[in-house]
C-alpha cells in the first residue's frame, strides 16, 4: 500500500545496518589522506543515523560532515584536504557543486551521488565537466542507498529532518537507490486498489 511504501520495509537475509555503514565506509576509505565530507540534508540524515563522528575521524575525515551550501561559502583554500561530496543528483546540488568547482576550497574532489536521476544524469555530468576549469575533480561515482537502517532486517525511507511529505518521484528514487545498493531484483506486492502503489511497482520492476 502507499502507506507501507512511505514507511518501513523488511528484508530477509540482509543486514541493512551493516550494508549502509559498509557503503559509507567504503566511499570514504577509497580517498587517501585527509578528507572533507560534504553532504546535503538527506545524506546528512543518513550519516547521523548510521555512523559516528569518531568513526569518521578514524577514517581521516578532518572537515565535516559539512553542508554543501556552507562549503560553497567557505572562501578559503585547503590544499592538503581532499573533498568527498556525497549528495543527491538534484538541480540545486549540481548548481552548488559547479559554483564550488569554479572557486575550489579543497585540493581535489570526489563526487558521489546517493541515487540516480535517469533523465538528468548525463546533463549533470557534462555541467560538472564544464565547471571543472581547474581540473580538481578526480571521479564521479555512486554511493547508493537513500534510507535509514532501523534494524538489520528493516529500513525506512523517512530520513530526518523531514521538511515535507515525500513526493511520488522522490519515493521512487529512494526505493530505486536501495534496490541498486542491495544488488537484488525484488518481488513487489501492492494493493490492486491503489493506482499510486501500482505505478511505483511498475517503475521499480524496471530497475
Amino acid at each position: 500500500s502507499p502507506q507501507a511504501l512511505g514507511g518501513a520495509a523488511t528484508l530477509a537475509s540482509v543486514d541493512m545496518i551493516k550494508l549502509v555503514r559498509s557503503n559509507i565506509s567504503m566511499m570514504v576509505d577509497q580517498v587517501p589522506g585527509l578528507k572533507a565530507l560534504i553532504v546535503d540534508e538527506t545524506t546528512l540524515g543518513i550519516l547521523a543515523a548510521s555512523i559516528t563522528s569518531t568513526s569518521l575521524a578514524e577514517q581521516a575525515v578532518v572537515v565535516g560532515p559539512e553542508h554543501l551550501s556552507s562549503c560553497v561559502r567557505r572562501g578559503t583554500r585547503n590544499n592538503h584536504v581532499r573533498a568527498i561530496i556525497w549528495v543527491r543528483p538534484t538541480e540545486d546540488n549540481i548548481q552548488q557543486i559547479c559554483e564550488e568547482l569554479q572557486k575550489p576550497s579543497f585540493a581535489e574532489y570526489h563526487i558521489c551521488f546517493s541515487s540516480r536521476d535517469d533523465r538528468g544524469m548525463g546533463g549533470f555530468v557534462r555541467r560538472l565537466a564544464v565547471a571543472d576549469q581547474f581540473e580538481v575533480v578526480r571521479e564521479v561515482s555512486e554511493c547508493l542507498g537513500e534510507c535509514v537502517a532501523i534494524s538489520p532486517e528493516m529500513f525506512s525511507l523517512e530520513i530526518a529532518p523531514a521538511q515535507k511529505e515525500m513526493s511520488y518521484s522522490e519515493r521512487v528514487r529512494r526505493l530505486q537507490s536501495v534496490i541498486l545498493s542491495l544488488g537484488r531484483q525484488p518481488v513487489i506486492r501492492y494493493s490492486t486498489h491503489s493506482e499510486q502503489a501500482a505505478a511505483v511497482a511498475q517503475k521499480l520492476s524496471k530497475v
Side-chain angles (χ1 to χ4, degrees):
S1 68
Q3 183 178 2
L5 288 169
T10 57
L11 292 165
S13 72
V14 174
D15 190 324
M16 286 302 298
I17 294 176
K18 288 183 179 179
L19 177 66
V20 174
R21 287 177 180 170
S22 173
N23 287 346
I24 295 171
S25 294
M26 188 179 303
M27 173 185 66
V28 175
D29 279 340
Q30 287 178 345
V31 178
L34 301 178
K35 288 158 270 197
L37 184 54
I38 312 301
V39 295
D40 63 15
E41 60 273 11
T42 295
T43 51
L44 179 60
I46 298 170
L47 275 175
S50 307
I51 199 163
T52 65
S53 298
T54 301
S55 296
L56 291 175
E58 290 173 349
Q59 292 178 282
V61 174
V62 295
V63 177
E66 181 175 337
H67 198 281
L68 179 58
S69 59
S70 300
C71 177
V72 173
R73 295 193 299 266
R74 174 180 287 271
T76 57
R77 180 75 185 237
N78 193 326
N79 293 318
H80 304 290
V81 177
R82 297 175 171 92
I84 303 167
I85 299 180
W86 184 38
V87 295
R88 294 163 297 147
T90 65
E91 174 64 34
D92 185 53
N93 283 342
I94 296 299
Q95 180 60 37
Q96 291 190 76
I97 295 172
C98 288
E99 291 175 13
E100 170 64 17
L101 293 177
Q102 290 165 2
K103 294 182 179 180
S105 304
F106 300 99
E108 61 185 49
Y109 292 80
H110 301 257
I111 302 170
C112 300
F113 292 118
S114 58
S115 58
R116 292 179 183 175
D117 182 339
D118 294 332
R119 296 171 298 176
M121 291 304 292
F124 288 161
V125 172
R126 284 192 293 271
R127 285 170 61 186
L128 293 173
V130 171
D132 186 24
Q133 299 173 4
F134 296 97
E135 298 183 349
V136 288
V137 175
R138 293 294 175 265
E139 65 175 335
V140 177
S141 60
E142 297 175 326
C143 180
L144 301 172
E146 286 186 14
C147 70
V148 170
I150 300 173
S151 71
E153 301 84 16
M154 184 176 294
F155 69 88
S156 174
L157 300 180
E158 302 289 347
I159 301 170
Q163 303 292 335
K164 57 185 178 180
E165 185 177 353
M166 273 187 293
S167 65
Y168 163 78
S169 59
E170 186 174 13
R171 195 188 309 272
V172 171
R173 192 193 71 240
R174 289 187 179 182
L175 282 169
Q176 285 177 329
S177 72
V178 174
I179 291 170
L180 290 168
S181 177
L182 289 168
R184 297 186 178 188
Q185 185 66 40
V187 175
I188 304 169
R189 293 182 178 182
Y190 60 91
S191 170
T192 57
H193 302 292
S194 171
E195 293 183 3
Q196 186 183 49
V200 171
Q202 185 175 12
K203 279 275 190 181
L204 295 180
S205 67
K206 300 176 182 179
V207 173

